[in-house]
Amino acid sequence: MSNFKNSESWKRGQKVEALFGSCLEKRGIKYRPASRTEQIKQHIDFHTDVGTVDVKAMKNVNRKDYNPQQDLVWLEFKNVGGNTGWLCSNVDYIAFERLHDFVIVNRQALLELAKNLCDLVNITRQGGMKALYRGYQRQGRKDIISMIKMSDILTLPHKSIPK
């Protein structure tokens, strides 16, 4: 965990979470940040009046260079330890960062959509675009992740909060 905590990805995630909190505050939405334990064990970043939220920063398609994609979204079914990933957690909502806003969707509806779109039986070990709509497990890890398009997510009922 300590290596990850000092990574650029972790630092960027912290900045995006802070930005999301500011966006909630600007709109008069009451919230409180989750505890460190809630963040790690339950995938909760914020408690709001309407439920819990996990915030997701834009991610690269691959880790080679920083070029975040707002049209492709990584989904985590199992985390690197093989435990429950954020998509299968009990959090109420997922907030996805885009260039000009955050798109907020119901996590359970997103999970059902992902189960219908992603082949989680024929797991690949090749990342990048090979993981689009297909389960991907990274070498030496127990995770199961996949990628879908933001346009798929936007078919679900959602809210948008401008940055």
Side-chain angles (χ1 to χ4, degrees):
M1 177 82 170
S2 61
N3 289 339
F4 177 74
K5 191 173 179 180
N6 293 320
S7 72
E8 290 305 312
S9 178
W10 183 84
K11 290 174 186 174
R12 178 154 179 7
Q14 295 300 298
K15 288 179 184 176
V16 170
E17 287 174 22
L19 177 60
F20 183 76
S22 295
C23 291
L24 292 176
E25 197 169 304
K26 283 181 198 173
R27 280 147 194 85
I29 298 170
K30 293 187 188 306
Y31 73 93
R32 74 170 172 81
S35 70
R36 187 77 185 124
T37 300
E38 288 173 320
Q39 289 180 6
I40 294 167
K41 302 252 185 219
Q42 299 173 327
H43 305 280
I44 299 169
D45 291 322
F46 294 96
H47 294 271
T48 71
D49 290 343
V50 295
T52 54
V53 181
D54 189 5
V55 179
K56 300 296 166 195
M58 285 186 289
K59 306 274 193 307
N60 301 336
V61 171
N62 60 51
R63 292 186 179 262
K64 292 183 180 156
D65 56 340
Y66 181 70
N67 184 18
Q69 298 291 315
Q70 69 170 5
D71 57 332
L72 297 171
V73 177
W74 283 104
L75 304 176
E76 181 187 71
F77 293 89
K78 290 187 178 183
N79 69 15
V80 294
N83 299 314
T84 302
W86 59 261
L87 186 58
C88 300
S89 71
N90 289 322
V91 71
D92 297 311
Y93 298 98
I94 307 294
F96 292 102
E97 178 197 25
R98 297 194 308 172
L99 288 178
H100 304 291
D101 65 357
F102 287 93
V103 171
I104 304 167
V105 297
N106 177 279
R107 184 210 45 86
Q108 185 63 42
L110 178 60
L111 174 60
E112 294 307 315
L113 176 71
K115 285 180 179 179
N116 288 325
L117 292 176
C118 301
D119 177 0
L120 299 176
V121 175
N122 299 302
I123 305 295
T124 183
R125 296 272 185 179
Q126 297 177 348
M129 293 305 292
K130 298 275 186 188
L132 185 63
Y133 303 116
R134 188 167 176 198
Y136 166 49
Q137 187 172 51
R138 295 177 284 183
Q139 189 67 33
R141 300 193 181 189
K142 297 177 183 175
D143 57 358
I144 303 287
I145 58 179
S146 188
M147 195 169 33
I148 66 173
K149 295 179 179 178
M150 178 56 79
S151 58
D152 299 318
I153 294 172
L154 295 175
T155 67
L156 298 172
H158 62 278
K159 297 221 184 260
S160 175
I161 296 181
K163 286 185 174 176

